[in-house]
Amino acid sequence: MTVVRRDILTNLKTTLEGIPVAAGYATGIKKVERVHRPPEDPPAEQQRPWIGYMVGPTERETQPFGEIRCTMNVWLLAYLSPKSDDEHEDLVAQLEDDLVVALMKDQSRGGKATSTTLGPGESNEGFPQVGTRVGEYVEQLRIVYFRSATVST
């Protein structure tokens, strides 16, 4: 993994971990991990709100002067613990607002990226819940950065 890519992902994790209620956010993220948890195996309720992130495909475009423009796709998967359908809608709306505010404060991911774009996002609102009620929210990020074509940076 290139240094710039690692630094971007470290910044992303730090940003997501910095979404506590004490800082004025509504959600209060309890745990952030670089792992995918399928709906059949959500994190324990005491770990929620929980966010996992996974890196998807990275698109690369060769640029002049030995640079490569990279667009890294990152998927955020959040699990919430709503007690009712109404609370589910509220928790998803609060999480979405918190993600927008936190992630857009520094779209350069600590000066390592040229942009961070959000969307699309979706939730399991309206889907029937069986057993333990688990709210899910998925958001796609597109993070653009440049790297050298000849040197591992």
Side-chain angles (χ1 to χ4, degrees), residues 129-141:
Q129 300 288 311
V130 178
T132 304
R133 182 175 282 278
V134 178
E136 300 167 23
Y137 182 77
V138 178
E139 180 80 42
Q140 180 187 12
L141 304 177

Side-chain angles (χ1 to χ4, degrees), residues 103-148:
L103 291 168
M104 294 297 101
K105 275 185 184 175
D106 178 14
Q107 296 177 39
S108 74
R109 308 274 54 92
K112 301 293 183 174
T114 56
S115 68
T116 300
T117 307
L118 291 162
E122 65 180 78
S123 76
N124 67 342
E125 294 169 271
F127 288 92
Q129 300 288 311
V130 178
T132 304
R133 182 175 282 278
V134 178
E136 300 167 23
Y137 182 77
V138 178
E139 180 80 42
Q140 180 187 12
L141 304 177
R142 292 176 55 82
I143 302 171
V144 176
Y145 64 96
F146 286 84
R147 60 154 295 154
S148 168

Side-chain angles (χ1 to χ4, degrees), residues 11-24:
N11 173 277
L12 177 63
K13 184 173 191 223
T14 302
T15 299
L16 295 171
E17 289 172 336
I19 304 179
V21 173

Side-chain angles (χ1 to χ4, degrees), residues 19-153:
I19 304 179
V21 173
Y25 294 99
T27 307
I29 302 301
K30 291 183 181 174
K31 189 159 189 159
V32 176
E33 294 182 284
R34 187 175 175 186
V35 64
H36 172 73
R37 301 286 301 257
E40 306 80 44
D41 182 30
E45 188 167 357
Q46 64 269 23
Q47 293 180 320
R48 296 183 232 146
W50 177 94
I51 295 179
Y53 64 99
M54 309 53 61
V55 178
T58 298
E59 302 156 26
R60 294 175 188 85
E61 297 174 39
T62 303
Q63 303 290 305
F65 310 110
E67 283 194 319
I68 298 175
R69 180 182 189 267
C70 303
T71 303
M72 179 171 38
N73 291 282
V74 179
W75 291 95
L76 305 180
L77 173 60
Y79 286 103
L80 307 164
S81 295
K83 305 295 183 231
S84 67
D85 288 342
D86 288 341
E87 186 182 33
H88 190 168
E89 291 174 15
D90 291 344
L91 290 176
V92 167
Q94 290 169 354
L95 175 64
E96 186 177 46
D97 287 347
D98 289 346
L99 287 173
V100 168
V101 170
L103 291 168
M104 294 297 101
K105 275 185 184 175
D106 178 14
Q107 296 177 39
S108 74
R109 308 274 54 92
K112 301 293 183 174
T114 56
S115 68
T116 300
T117 307
L118 291 162
E122 65 180 78
S123 76
N124 67 342
E125 294 169 271
F127 288 92
Q129 300 288 311
V130 178
T132 304
R133 182 175 282 278
V134 178
E136 300 167 23
Y137 182 77
V138 178
E139 180 80 42
Q140 180 187 12
L141 304 177
R142 292 176 55 82
I143 302 171
V144 176
Y145 64 96
F146 286 84
R147 60 154 295 154
S148 168
T150 58
V151 179
S152 182
T153 57

